Amino acid sequence: MSRLARPMTAAVGAVLLMSSMSLAACSGGSDTAATDSSASGAAPAAADVSDATITFIPKQLNNPFSDVMLGGGTKGAEEIGFADNQIVGPLEASSSSQVSFINAEVQAGTNVIVIAANDPDAVCPALKDARDAGSHVVTFDSDAAADCRDLFINQVESKQVALTMLEMVSEQIGGAGNIAILSATATATNQNAWITFMEDEIASNDKYKDIVIVDKVYGDDDDTKSFQEAQGLLQAHPDLDAIVSPTTVGIAATARYLSTSEYKGKVVLTGLGLPNEMRSFVKDGTVTEFALWDPAQLGYVAAYAGAALHSGKITGAVGDTFTAGELGERTVEEGGIVVVGDPVRFNADNIDDYDF
Ligand code: RAM
């Protein structure tokens, strides 16, 4: 099945096939991507987690991105054979909203906690308590401070996410113009890293010297607030050329606002979105191109990383490797980071090839 997205320029790197690794597509088994066990000549012994528990704590529960990510996590946890797997978490993505959930896991003696941090620091004391009590902590999607977790499962190298968004917006506004960022929460580690890399690139790369970020607003990954922030941006900046929203909640809400407004087709909208949420806006001309990765892979790799840590197969040291089921071998990189895949750019030509 060929679903190669439109190639990017060399600056960002080629868009890789993501669908070949899609967990949904692979769930049938026999036609799945092979694990890397053949590379070493011997099948890696499965991590024994039959007496262990794993709990996933997303940024928030009512987020379609989290739902897909957690689906991958649950699939991984079941496949590996954890005695129990749970999902708990807040309904809103505020800084401290996850602390009581972490504390409850410490009380319960959960062996592996997988969390997408709403604030890199706010969750730290509770995560440290968890580690002191013998749990392993894996962050995914949005990192905590590095000394509070064992590993961070990152979708894509953060700078590459930023460069992909910058390149998309630059292409769509002809290389020059006023842009605004509509982000998630102001404390989100992942969005803040992407925004900082975008700002740095604009400041240092001549190619983007005519792009100006005129505003940054935060919809808190709340649909209503994001919708209102989009409306506010367009009112406050009549000369706005584009909105970049590095959050699936923000981009979908902004698209909904734009699609029935006078700005449809005039103000560019790009960023990170779920194909299933953005499809109608691509088809009706509100959005030309946006990007994402497969969130299910994040959860899936995080479950395998948790199992490898719990069973002592890895310690989380740089260079450690583990096999993430059908997605194959992964290596721990500098900073205790495991990178899952590459972003794909979605547009009218390929969006129907994706189902998440
Ligand atoms: C939202 C969340 C999540 C982010 C995606 C792109 O769903 O903020 O953390 O990774 O967007």
Side-chain angles (χ1 to χ4, degrees), residues 59 63 65 141 184 190-191 194 221 246-248 272 292:
K59 281 179 165 180
N63 177 332
F65 176 96
D141 182 36
N190 53 345
Q191 272 89 13
W194 300 329
D221 273 351
T247 147
T248 59
L272 304 174
L292 198 69

Side-chain angles (χ1 to χ4, degrees), residues 98-115:
Q98 295 166 310
V99 173
S100 61
F101 293 94
I102 303 167
N103 290 339
E105 295 309 310
V106 178
Q107 288 300 315
T110 300
N111 300 103
V112 178
I113 296 173
V114 181
I115 182 167

Side-chain angles (χ1 to χ4, degrees), residues 252-270:
T254 304
R256 209 170 69 249
Y257 174 70
L258 278 181
S259 65
T260 59
S261 78
E262 60 183 298
Y263 307 104
K264 177 181 170 188
K266 298 193 182 110
V267 173
V268 164
L269 171 63
T270 188

Side-chain angles (χ1 to χ4, degrees), residues 24-331:
C26 288
S27 57
S30 59
D31 60 345
T32 62
T35 66
D36 283 9
S37 55
S38 56
S40 60
D48 184 7
V49 290
S50 56
D51 60 351
T53 54
I54 183 168
T55 295
F56 298 89
I57 309 178
K59 281 179 165 180
Q60 59 185 148
L61 289 181
N62 55 348
N63 177 332
F65 176 96
S66 302
D67 292 345
V68 180
M69 186 171 72
L70 295 167
T74 302
K75 174 179 154 75
E78 286 173 356
E79 213 171 82
I80 306 160
F82 274 98
D84 189 35
N85 68 81
Q86 305 265 346
I87 293 167
V88 300
L91 292 174
E92 34 95 20
S94 67
S95 270
S96 57
S97 60
Q98 295 166 310
V99 173
S100 61
F101 293 94
I102 303 167
N103 290 339
E105 295 309 310
V106 178
Q107 288 300 315
T110 300
N111 300 103
V112 178
I113 296 173
V114 181
I115 182 167
N118 281 323
D119 180 309
D121 302 315
V123 291
C124 260
L127 292 180
K128 281 184 173 158
D129 288 348
R131 294 177 81 195
D132 287 347
S135 305
H136 285 96
V137 173
V138 176
T139 51
F140 65 163
D141 182 36
S142 185
D143 202 7
D147 61 338
C148 309
R149 47 76 169 159
D150 293 287
L151 285 179
F152 172 43
I153 313 302
N154 198 3
Q155 40 273 14
V156 179
E157 203 262 306
S158 298
K159 186 170 183 182
Q160 198 193 346
V161 177
L163 294 184
T164 299
M165 289 194 285
L166 199 49
E167 192 168 270
M168 287 190 300
V169 73
S170 178
E171 282 174 11
Q172 293 181 53
I173 63 174
N178 294 328
I179 70 171
I181 312 277
L182 194 158
S183 192
T185 63
T187 58
T189 329
N190 53 345
Q191 272 89 13
N192 285 345
W194 300 329
I195 292 168
T196 301
F197 275 121
M198 284 180 68
E199 290 171 333
D200 290 351
E201 191 68 12
I202 288 172
S204 64
N205 186 341
D206 253 15
K207 181 178 168 189
Y208 300 123
K209 66 179 180 352
D210 296 324
I211 294 179
V212 182
I213 298 179
V214 295
D215 211 346
K216 279 186 278 187
V217 297
Y218 300 89
D220 293 345
D221 273 351
D222 175 89
D223 177 71
T224 307
K225 180 153 195 275
S226 302
F227 186 92
Q228 288 163 352
E229 291 292 348
Q231 194 170 14
L233 273 179
L234 289 156
Q235 278 163 7
H237 304 282
D239 55 351
L240 197 62
D241 296 296
I243 296 176
V244 178
S245 187
T247 147
T248 59
V249 178
I251 197 173
T254 304
R256 209 170 69 249
Y257 174 70
L258 278 181
S259 65
T260 59
S261 78
E262 60 183 298
Y263 307 104
K264 177 181 170 188
K266 298 193 182 110
V267 173
V268 164
L269 171 63
T270 188
L272 304 174
L274 287 159
N276 287 352
E277 289 197 307
M278 299 300 289
R279 183 169 290 106
S280 65
F281 302 117
V282 168
K283 299 211 171 195
D284 77 4
T286 304
V287 171
T288 300
E289 190 171 62
F290 64 99
L292 198 69
W293 42 86
D294 183 349
Q297 295 181 0
L298 264 183
Y300 185 81
V301 173
Y304 274 90
L309 286 164
H310 175 74
S311 61
K313 289 192 163 303
I314 61 169
T315 61
V318 175
D320 274 357
T321 59
F322 62 97
T323 299
E326 64 197 36
L327 295 183
E329 190 174 89
R330 300 288 140 161
T331 303

Side-chain angles (χ1 to χ4, degrees), residues 5-6 8 164 167-168 171 289-291 344-347 350:
R6 189 153 72 77
M8 298 179 197
T164 299
E167 192 168 270
M168 287 190 300
E171 282 174 11
E289 190 171 62
F290 64 99
V344 171
R345 290 161 64 153
F346 305 102
N347 50 49
N350 69 355

